[in-house]
Amino acid sequence: MGAGTGLEGLDADTVLNAIEDRGGSARALALFKRSFAEGAEPISSGDTTVLWQADIGSWAIFGETGGKNDETRPWNGFGHRPMNFHQNLVVEINQPRVGKDTNLQSVFATAPDGRRWVLHQGRMSVSGIRIREADFILASGLVPVTVRFSDGEERAYHPVACLDAPGVEVRAGIDRFVRTCALVRDKARFPRKLAEAVDEAHRLEASLLPEVGGSYETAPRASVIAQRRHADVWRALSKSLEERKIKHSNARILRFGPDLFTVAQPYVLFEIKTRVEPRDVFEGLGQLAVYEKLLKMPFRKVLLVPEGIGPGLLEPLARLNVIHMEYRRRGRKVVLDEAALSRILEP
C-alpha cells in the first residue's frame, strides 16, 4: 500500500473511474443526498431547506443552479453553523449531471472494488483569496487519489466519502472533509499565530472524537426557536463589528465552537446566551475558558446575555476576568449595548 489518504480502501496509488453517464450520476447523487438526510432536522431558510445533522454538527443544502447549455446542475453546499447559511458556507461539493466538467470541484467515481465515491479537487474561494489544489494539499496534509475520465485524462481528487458505506460513515466522511476545508480556509484568512492555534485545536478535536461505528449517541437537539434567537443575536453582533470594520470569525474550534472572535487586536472572544439562568451562565464561562486555552493566546472574554442577569452572578464573572455585556429584544430585533461594546473593543 502506498501513502495513505486516511480513508479505508483507498491510497495514493488508487485510480478511480469517473461516473459520467446521466443515470449513474443521478443514482450517485440520490445516494449522496439520502445518506446525509437520514435522521437530519430540516431547517427552513427562505425557499431553501437546510438539512442539519446535530450529531456531527454539520449542515447541507442540496439544490440546483444554472449549468451548461441551459441545463441545471447540482449545487451542494456544506457548513457547520446552523444559521446565516450563505455567510457560513464552508465548501461546495458540486458534480456535473452528465459527462466531464473539471471546472466543477467534485466528481463521482468508482473504485477498483466497485464502490462509488464522492471526491473533491480542494479548490475554494475565500474572501477574494483563491485556494488552489496545491494550496489545499499543503495546508491540509491530505494525499489525493487519481480519477480517470473516459477520454483518458487523469486528475487528482481528494476522497470525501464512500457512498456505498453505511449512512453514518458517509456523514462522518463528509463532516471530516468539511472540517478540513474549514481549517484550510482559516489558514488562508487568519494571522499566522492564530491560524496555527486553530490548526492545533482541530487536531485535538480529531483525537477526541470517537471512531466511526454503527451508530451515534445523539445529544438532545436545541429547539428551532432557540436556534433562531441565537442567530438573531449573532447577526446583530456581527453587523455591529462589520460597521466598526473589526475583522471577526466564527470558525469552529471543537464540535460546537466559539460563537465569535476577532482576528486582529484587540483579540476578543464572545459567547452568546439566550437566557440568563445560572446554568447558562456557568456553561458560557466554561466555554470561554476552554476556547481561550485551545487558541493558546489571551483574549478578552465576553459573555453576551439578555438584560436582567442576577447581581449575584456579576461578582463571580468579574473575579474570573469575564466581561458581561447585555442586549435586549424588540420583537425579532436585537439591540446591543453599543457603548459597552465600544469599551470592550478599545485598544
Side-chain angles (χ1 to χ4, degrees):
M1 220 177 197
T5 61
L7 293 168
E8 183 182 354
L10 296 183
D11 59 39
D13 299 325
T14 304
V15 178
L16 297 90
N17 292 311
I19 298 174
E20 299 180 47
D21 65 290
R22 187 180 295 272
S25 295
R27 288 188 291 273
L29 178 60
L31 186 54
F32 189 28
K33 293 179 181 178
R34 188 164 65 248
S35 295
F36 192 92
E38 184 181 43
E41 176 186 350
I43 299 175
S44 178
S45 178
D47 297 330
T48 303
T49 297
V50 182
L51 300 173
W52 168 242
Q53 284 285 359
D55 54 357
I56 57 174
S58 289
W59 56 260
I61 299 172
F62 293 95
E64 293 186 337
T65 189
K68 292 181 177 179
N69 303 319
D70 297 323
E71 182 179 31
T72 61
R73 63 166 177 79
W75 185 94
N76 310 315
F78 297 83
H80 293 128
R81 294 280 180 175
M83 63 182 84
N84 303 332
F85 298 103
H86 241 334
Q87 183 175 350
N88 289 324
L89 176 72
V90 172
V91 64
E92 299 174 22
I93 305 180
N94 305 327
Q95 313 80 24
R97 197 178 293 280
V98 64
K100 168 188 169 185
D101 187 351
T102 55
N103 288 321
L104 296 180
Q105 307 95 326
S106 181
V107 70
F108 296 126
T110 305
D113 62 4
R115 296 191 301 170
R116 293 166 293 179
W117 288 76
V118 56
L119 306 99
H120 193 282
Q121 293 183 44
R123 207 171 57 235
M124 294 183 289
S125 295
V126 182
S127 303
I129 302 172
R130 293 289 297 176
I131 296 176
R132 301 166 299 176
E133 291 92 329
D135 301 325
F136 184 87
I137 292 171
L138 182 63
S140 68
L142 293 182
V143 179
V145 298
T146 299
V147 173
R148 180 180 293 143
F149 293 89
S150 58
D151 63 2
E153 182 182 5
E154 295 183 347
R155 289 273 187 130
Y157 284 82
H158 297 277
V160 177
C162 175
L163 298 176
D164 289 304
V168 66
E169 294 183 20
V170 176
R171 291 190 294 277
I174 293 169
D175 181 56
R176 184 188 305 113
F177 185 77
V178 175
R179 282 190 282 117
T180 299
C181 290
L183 173 60
V184 172
R185 292 168 67 95
D186 293 344
K187 286 186 173 182
R189 294 182 300 165
F190 293 168
R192 181 177 175 180
K193 183 178 179 182
L194 186 55
E196 288 174 350
V198 171
D199 187 9
E200 188 164 342
H202 276 268
R203 292 178 192 278
L204 172 62
E205 177 185 26
S207 72
L208 295 174
L209 293 177
E211 294 296 321
V212 175
S215 63
Y216 280 112
E217 182 178 342
T218 306
R221 298 185 178 186
S223 70
V224 173
I225 292 175
Q227 289 177 359
R228 286 175 179 166
R229 287 177 176 171
H230 189 281
D232 290 342
V233 181
W234 190 95
R235 278 192 289 267
L237 177 59
S238 180
K239 182 174 182 291
S240 184
L241 293 174
E242 286 173 0
E243 290 172 350
R244 297 164 185 261
K245 298 186 175 6
I246 302 292
K247 294 182 179 180
H248 58 281
S249 172
N250 65 341
R252 199 178 68 163
I253 314 298
L254 294 181
R255 181 163 292 190
F256 298 103
D259 284 324
L260 189 147
F261 59 94
T262 62
V263 297
Q265 292 185 343
Y267 292 111
V268 184
L269 187 62
F270 294 90
E271 187 62 36
I272 297 168
K273 293 299 170 188
T274 56
R275 304 185 308 174
V276 287
E277 298 296 326
R279 175 179 176 179
D280 302 287
V281 174
F282 298 156
E283 180 182 72
L285 286 172
Q287 289 169 305
L288 288 166
V290 169
Y291 298 143
E292 183 183 45
K293 294 300 182 186
L294 288 170
L295 290 169
K296 293 191 173 180
M297 52 191 299
F299 279 82
R300 295 177 188 173
K301 297 182 288 296
V302 178
L303 190 63
L304 181 55
V305 295
E307 60 184 351
I309 189 170
L313 290 170
L314 295 180
E315 184 180 354
L317 287 175
R319 285 179 176 273
L320 292 167
N321 201 28
V322 172
I323 304 167
H324 111 275
M325 176 180 160
E326 295 187 349
Y327 64 88
R328 63 183 185 277
R329 301 187 66 91
R330 292 178 179 169
R332 283 290 299 273
K333 185 178 180 181
V334 172
V335 181
L336 300 176
D337 185 340
E338 296 289 349
L341 183 57
S342 294
R343 290 192 295 271
I344 290 166
L345 297 171
E346 286 177 356

